Short mmCIF file of all heavy atoms in Angstrom, two decimals:
data_model
loop_
_atom_site.label_atom_id
_atom_site.label_comp_id
_atom_site.label_asym_id
_atom_site.label_seq_id
_atom_site.Cartn_x
_atom_site.Cartn_y
_atom_site.Cartn_z
N ALA A 96 -24.93 38.94 31.00
CA ALA A 96 -24.83 39.97 29.98
C ALA A 96 -23.45 40.61 30.02
O ALA A 96 -22.83 40.85 28.99
CB ALA A 96 -25.91 41.02 30.23
N LEU A 97 -22.99 40.83 31.21
CA LEU A 97 -21.68 41.46 31.35
C LEU A 97 -20.60 40.62 30.69
O LEU A 97 -19.67 41.11 30.12
CB LEU A 97 -21.33 41.66 32.83
CG LEU A 97 -22.14 42.72 33.55
CD1 LEU A 97 -21.80 42.72 35.03
CD2 LEU A 97 -21.89 44.09 32.94
N TYR A 98 -20.78 39.34 30.80
CA TYR A 98 -19.77 38.46 30.22
C TYR A 98 -20.18 37.95 28.85
O TYR A 98 -19.69 36.94 28.38
CB TYR A 98 -19.47 37.32 31.17
CG TYR A 98 -18.92 37.81 32.47
CD1 TYR A 98 -19.66 37.77 33.63
CD2 TYR A 98 -17.63 38.34 32.52
CE1 TYR A 98 -19.16 38.26 34.82
CE2 TYR A 98 -17.12 38.84 33.71
CZ TYR A 98 -17.90 38.80 34.86
OH TYR A 98 -17.40 39.28 36.03
N SER A 99 -21.13 38.62 28.24
CA SER A 99 -21.60 38.25 26.89
C SER A 99 -22.04 36.80 26.80
O SER A 99 -21.78 36.13 25.83
CB SER A 99 -20.53 38.51 25.83
OG SER A 99 -19.93 39.74 26.03
N LEU A 100 -22.66 36.34 27.81
CA LEU A 100 -23.16 34.96 27.78
C LEU A 100 -24.67 35.00 27.96
O LEU A 100 -25.22 34.39 28.85
CB LEU A 100 -22.55 34.15 28.92
CG LEU A 100 -21.07 33.85 28.82
CD1 LEU A 100 -20.56 33.32 30.14
CD2 LEU A 100 -20.80 32.85 27.71
N LEU A 101 -25.30 35.72 27.08
CA LEU A 101 -26.70 35.99 27.34
C LEU A 101 -27.60 34.78 27.29
O LEU A 101 -28.59 34.69 27.98
CB LEU A 101 -27.21 37.02 26.35
CG LEU A 101 -27.17 38.42 26.93
CD1 LEU A 101 -27.44 39.46 25.87
CD2 LEU A 101 -28.16 38.56 28.06
N VAL A 102 -27.24 33.84 26.47
CA VAL A 102 -28.12 32.69 26.32
C VAL A 102 -27.73 31.62 27.33
O VAL A 102 -26.55 31.37 27.56
CB VAL A 102 -28.04 32.13 24.89
CG1 VAL A 102 -28.95 30.94 24.72
CG2 VAL A 102 -28.38 33.23 23.90
N ASN A 103 -28.72 31.03 27.91
CA ASN A 103 -28.50 29.95 28.86
C ASN A 103 -27.51 30.30 29.97
O ASN A 103 -26.50 29.63 30.14
CB ASN A 103 -28.03 28.68 28.16
CG ASN A 103 -29.11 28.15 27.25
OD1 ASN A 103 -30.28 28.34 27.52
ND2 ASN A 103 -28.70 27.52 26.17
N ALA A 104 -27.83 31.33 30.66
CA ALA A 104 -26.99 31.71 31.80
C ALA A 104 -26.79 30.51 32.70
O ALA A 104 -27.74 29.76 32.94
CB ALA A 104 -27.67 32.82 32.57
N PRO A 105 -25.59 30.27 33.15
CA PRO A 105 -25.37 29.08 33.97
C PRO A 105 -26.24 29.14 35.21
O PRO A 105 -26.31 30.17 35.87
CB PRO A 105 -23.89 29.17 34.35
CG PRO A 105 -23.51 30.59 34.11
CD PRO A 105 -24.41 31.11 33.04
N ALA A 106 -26.90 28.06 35.48
CA ALA A 106 -27.89 28.06 36.56
C ALA A 106 -27.21 28.05 37.91
O ALA A 106 -27.85 27.97 38.93
CB ALA A 106 -28.81 26.85 36.43
N ASP A 107 -25.93 28.12 37.91
CA ASP A 107 -25.28 27.94 39.20
C ASP A 107 -24.74 29.20 39.84
O ASP A 107 -24.31 29.18 40.97
CB ASP A 107 -24.19 26.89 39.10
CG ASP A 107 -24.05 26.17 40.43
OD1 ASP A 107 -25.10 25.90 41.04
OD2 ASP A 107 -22.91 25.97 40.86
N ALA A 108 -24.82 30.30 39.13
CA ALA A 108 -24.42 31.55 39.79
C ALA A 108 -25.49 31.90 40.81
O ALA A 108 -25.55 32.99 41.31
CB ALA A 108 -24.31 32.65 38.75
N SER A 109 -26.27 30.92 41.18
CA SER A 109 -27.60 31.09 41.76
C SER A 109 -27.64 31.93 43.03
O SER A 109 -26.67 32.55 43.40
CB SER A 109 -28.17 29.72 42.09
OG SER A 109 -27.41 29.15 43.11
N GLY A 110 -28.78 31.94 43.65
CA GLY A 110 -29.02 32.87 44.74
C GLY A 110 -28.49 32.40 46.07
O GLY A 110 -29.10 32.66 47.09
N ARG A 111 -27.40 31.71 46.06
CA ARG A 111 -26.90 31.19 47.33
C ARG A 111 -26.59 32.28 48.33
O ARG A 111 -26.84 32.16 49.51
CB ARG A 111 -25.63 30.40 47.10
CG ARG A 111 -25.98 28.95 47.16
CD ARG A 111 -24.97 28.09 46.68
NE ARG A 111 -25.78 27.33 45.81
CZ ARG A 111 -25.52 26.45 44.96
NH1 ARG A 111 -24.51 26.18 44.84
NH2 ARG A 111 -26.29 25.81 44.19
N ASP A 112 -26.06 33.39 47.83
CA ASP A 112 -25.69 34.44 48.78
C ASP A 112 -26.91 35.21 49.26
O ASP A 112 -26.80 36.15 49.99
CB ASP A 112 -24.61 35.37 48.22
CG ASP A 112 -24.79 35.63 46.75
OD1 ASP A 112 -25.54 34.88 46.12
OD2 ASP A 112 -24.18 36.57 46.26
N PHE A 113 -28.09 34.78 48.85
CA PHE A 113 -29.29 35.36 49.44
C PHE A 113 -29.71 34.58 50.68
O PHE A 113 -30.73 34.86 51.26
CB PHE A 113 -30.43 35.40 48.43
CG PHE A 113 -30.20 36.41 47.37
CD1 PHE A 113 -29.49 36.08 46.23
CD2 PHE A 113 -30.64 37.71 47.52
CE1 PHE A 113 -29.26 37.02 45.25
CE2 PHE A 113 -30.41 38.65 46.53
CZ PHE A 113 -29.72 38.30 45.40
N GLY A 114 -28.92 33.60 51.00
CA GLY A 114 -29.15 32.91 52.26
C GLY A 114 -30.28 31.91 52.21
O GLY A 114 -30.67 31.38 53.22
N GLY A 115 -30.79 31.65 51.05
CA GLY A 115 -31.91 30.71 51.00
C GLY A 115 -31.75 29.75 49.85
O GLY A 115 -30.75 29.73 49.16
N TYR A 116 -32.77 28.98 49.66
CA TYR A 116 -32.75 28.01 48.59
C TYR A 116 -33.63 28.55 47.47
O TYR A 116 -34.77 28.89 47.69
CB TYR A 116 -33.31 26.69 49.11
CG TYR A 116 -33.74 25.79 48.03
CD1 TYR A 116 -32.80 25.11 47.26
CD2 TYR A 116 -35.09 25.63 47.75
CE1 TYR A 116 -33.20 24.30 46.25
CE2 TYR A 116 -35.49 24.82 46.74
CZ TYR A 116 -34.54 24.15 45.99
OH TYR A 116 -34.93 23.35 44.98
N PHE A 117 -33.08 28.66 46.30
CA PHE A 117 -33.88 29.19 45.19
C PHE A 117 -33.86 28.24 44.04
O PHE A 117 -32.88 27.56 43.79
CB PHE A 117 -33.33 30.53 44.71
CG PHE A 117 -33.27 31.53 45.81
CD1 PHE A 117 -32.07 32.07 46.19
CD2 PHE A 117 -34.42 31.89 46.47
CE1 PHE A 117 -32.01 32.97 47.22
CE2 PHE A 117 -34.37 32.80 47.49
CZ PHE A 117 -33.16 33.35 47.88
N GLU A 118 -34.94 28.27 43.37
CA GLU A 118 -35.10 27.39 42.22
C GLU A 118 -35.04 28.25 40.98
O GLU A 118 -36.02 28.86 40.60
CB GLU A 118 -36.47 26.72 42.33
CG GLU A 118 -36.64 25.54 41.44
CD GLU A 118 -35.69 24.44 41.83
OE1 GLU A 118 -35.47 24.22 43.02
OE2 GLU A 118 -35.15 23.81 40.92
N ILE A 119 -33.88 28.38 40.41
CA ILE A 119 -33.83 29.19 39.19
C ILE A 119 -33.30 28.37 38.04
O ILE A 119 -32.81 28.89 37.06
CB ILE A 119 -33.01 30.48 39.38
CG1 ILE A 119 -31.84 30.26 40.30
CG2 ILE A 119 -33.87 31.60 39.85
CD1 ILE A 119 -31.06 31.50 40.57
N ALA A 120 -33.45 27.08 38.19
CA ALA A 120 -33.01 26.20 37.11
C ALA A 120 -33.81 26.49 35.84
O ALA A 120 -33.33 26.28 34.74
CB ALA A 120 -33.19 24.76 37.52
N SER A 121 -35.02 26.99 36.03
CA SER A 121 -35.86 27.17 34.85
C SER A 121 -35.75 28.58 34.27
O SER A 121 -36.58 28.98 33.50
CB SER A 121 -37.30 26.85 35.20
OG SER A 121 -37.71 27.64 36.28
N LEU A 122 -34.76 29.30 34.68
CA LEU A 122 -34.53 30.60 34.08
C LEU A 122 -34.22 30.40 32.60
O LEU A 122 -33.22 29.79 32.24
CB LEU A 122 -33.35 31.29 34.77
CG LEU A 122 -32.85 32.57 34.11
CD1 LEU A 122 -33.93 33.63 34.11
CD2 LEU A 122 -31.64 33.09 34.83
N GLN A 123 -35.09 30.89 31.78
CA GLN A 123 -34.86 30.69 30.36
C GLN A 123 -35.00 31.99 29.63
O GLN A 123 -35.98 32.70 29.78
CB GLN A 123 -35.90 29.71 29.79
CG GLN A 123 -35.56 28.30 30.11
CD GLN A 123 -36.75 27.40 29.87
OE1 GLN A 123 -37.82 27.86 29.52
NE2 GLN A 123 -36.54 26.12 30.07
N GLU A 124 -34.02 32.27 28.84
CA GLU A 124 -34.14 33.41 27.95
C GLU A 124 -35.10 33.03 26.85
O GLU A 124 -35.02 31.96 26.29
CB GLU A 124 -32.78 33.73 27.34
CG GLU A 124 -31.75 34.16 28.35
CD GLU A 124 -31.94 35.61 28.78
OE1 GLU A 124 -32.64 36.35 28.08
OE2 GLU A 124 -31.37 35.98 29.81
N GLN A 125 -36.02 33.92 26.58
CA GLN A 125 -36.89 33.66 25.45
C GLN A 125 -36.60 34.69 24.38
O GLN A 125 -35.45 35.00 24.15
CB GLN A 125 -38.33 33.63 25.93
CG GLN A 125 -38.51 32.49 26.93
CD GLN A 125 -39.91 32.42 27.50
OE1 GLN A 125 -40.63 33.41 27.52
NE2 GLN A 125 -40.28 31.25 27.95
N GLU A 126 -37.65 35.18 23.75
CA GLU A 126 -37.37 36.11 22.64
C GLU A 126 -36.88 37.45 23.15
O GLU A 126 -37.13 37.83 24.28
CB GLU A 126 -38.67 36.33 21.87
CG GLU A 126 -39.10 35.11 21.13
CD GLU A 126 -40.60 35.11 20.98
OE1 GLU A 126 -41.07 35.80 20.07
OE2 GLU A 126 -41.26 34.46 21.80
N SER A 127 -36.22 38.18 22.26
CA SER A 127 -35.78 39.50 22.64
C SER A 127 -36.03 40.49 21.50
O SER A 127 -36.29 40.10 20.37
CB SER A 127 -34.31 39.49 23.02
OG SER A 127 -33.52 39.26 21.88
N PHE A 128 -35.98 41.75 21.85
CA PHE A 128 -36.30 42.80 20.90
C PHE A 128 -35.39 43.98 21.21
O PHE A 128 -35.30 44.41 22.36
CB PHE A 128 -37.78 43.18 21.07
CG PHE A 128 -38.21 44.38 20.28
CD1 PHE A 128 -38.32 44.31 18.90
CD2 PHE A 128 -38.51 45.58 20.91
CE1 PHE A 128 -38.72 45.41 18.17
CE2 PHE A 128 -38.91 46.68 20.18
CZ PHE A 128 -39.03 46.60 18.81
N GLU A 129 -34.72 44.49 20.19
CA GLU A 129 -33.79 45.59 20.44
C GLU A 129 -34.37 46.90 19.93
O GLU A 129 -34.85 46.97 18.81
CB GLU A 129 -32.45 45.30 19.76
CG GLU A 129 -31.81 44.07 20.37
CD GLU A 129 -30.33 43.94 20.04
OE1 GLU A 129 -29.77 44.87 19.44
OE2 GLU A 129 -29.77 42.90 20.41
N SER A 130 -34.30 47.87 20.77
CA SER A 130 -34.71 49.21 20.35
C SER A 130 -34.23 50.21 21.41
O SER A 130 -34.13 49.88 22.59
CB SER A 130 -36.24 49.28 20.22
OG SER A 130 -36.63 50.63 20.08
N GLY A 131 -33.95 51.40 20.96
CA GLY A 131 -33.56 52.43 21.91
C GLY A 131 -34.77 53.26 22.34
O GLY A 131 -34.64 54.18 23.15
N ASP A 132 -35.93 52.91 21.81
CA ASP A 132 -37.13 53.69 22.08
C ASP A 132 -37.96 53.02 23.17
O ASP A 132 -38.52 51.94 22.95
CB ASP A 132 -37.93 53.80 20.77
CG ASP A 132 -39.27 54.50 20.97
OD1 ASP A 132 -39.51 54.99 22.11
OD2 ASP A 132 -40.07 54.53 20.03
N PRO A 133 -38.04 53.63 24.33
CA PRO A 133 -38.75 52.96 25.43
C PRO A 133 -40.19 52.60 25.10
O PRO A 133 -40.67 51.54 25.51
CB PRO A 133 -38.68 53.96 26.58
CG PRO A 133 -38.05 55.20 26.07
CD PRO A 133 -37.46 54.93 24.73
N SER A 134 -40.89 53.45 24.34
CA SER A 134 -42.29 53.09 24.08
C SER A 134 -42.37 51.91 23.11
O SER A 134 -43.31 51.10 23.19
CB SER A 134 -43.10 54.29 23.59
OG SER A 134 -42.43 54.91 22.52
N ALA A 135 -41.40 51.77 22.21
CA ALA A 135 -41.38 50.59 21.33
C ALA A 135 -41.12 49.33 22.17
O ALA A 135 -41.72 48.28 21.92
CB ALA A 135 -40.31 50.75 20.26
N LEU A 136 -40.27 49.45 23.15
CA LEU A 136 -39.99 48.30 24.02
C LEU A 136 -41.25 47.92 24.82
O LEU A 136 -41.59 46.74 24.95
CB LEU A 136 -38.85 48.62 24.99
CG LEU A 136 -37.47 48.85 24.37
CD1 LEU A 136 -36.46 49.27 25.45
CD2 LEU A 136 -36.97 47.60 23.65
N GLU A 137 -41.93 48.93 25.31
CA GLU A 137 -43.16 48.67 26.07
C GLU A 137 -44.20 47.98 25.19
O GLU A 137 -44.85 47.02 25.59
CB GLU A 137 -43.75 49.99 26.60
CG GLU A 137 -42.97 50.57 27.76
CD GLU A 137 -43.44 51.98 28.14
OE1 GLU A 137 -44.15 52.62 27.33
OE2 GLU A 137 -43.10 52.43 29.23
N GLN A 138 -44.30 48.50 23.97
CA GLN A 138 -45.27 47.97 23.02
C GLN A 138 -44.98 46.50 22.72
O GLN A 138 -45.86 45.63 22.72
CB GLN A 138 -45.16 48.80 21.73
CG GLN A 138 -45.95 48.28 20.54
CD GLN A 138 -47.40 48.72 20.63
OE1 GLN A 138 -47.68 49.84 21.06
NE2 GLN A 138 -48.32 47.85 20.25
N TRP A 139 -43.70 46.21 22.49
CA TRP A 139 -43.30 44.82 22.18
C TRP A 139 -43.66 43.89 23.33
O TRP A 139 -44.20 42.81 23.14
CB TRP A 139 -41.80 44.77 21.90
CG TRP A 139 -41.33 43.40 21.54
CD1 TRP A 139 -41.45 42.79 20.32
CD2 TRP A 139 -40.69 42.45 22.40
NE1 TRP A 139 -40.92 41.53 20.37
CE2 TRP A 139 -40.44 41.28 21.63
CE3 TRP A 139 -40.30 42.47 23.74
CZ2 TRP A 139 -39.83 40.16 22.16
CZ3 TRP A 139 -39.68 41.36 24.26
CH2 TRP A 139 -39.45 40.21 23.48
N CYS A 140 -43.38 44.36 24.53
CA CYS A 140 -43.69 43.54 25.70
C CYS A 140 -45.19 43.32 25.83
O CYS A 140 -45.64 42.22 26.19
CB CYS A 140 -43.18 44.18 26.98
SG CYS A 140 -41.52 43.71 27.31
#
Side-chain angles (χ1 to χ4, degrees):
Chain A
L97 289 174
Y98 298 108
S99 316
L100 291 168
L101 264 170
V102 180
N103 294 331
D107 210 40
S109 67
R111 257 167 230 173
D112 37 344
F113 289 87
Y116 162 74
F117 303 118
E118 195 64 39
I119 35 183
S121 55
L122 171 62
Q123 282 165 357
E124 295 282 343
Q125 298 178 336
E126 291 152 81
S127 68
F128 172 71
E129 297 196 6
S130 169
D132 175 6
S134 51
L136 294 175
E137 286 171 344
Q138 172 83 37
W139 181 79
C140 272

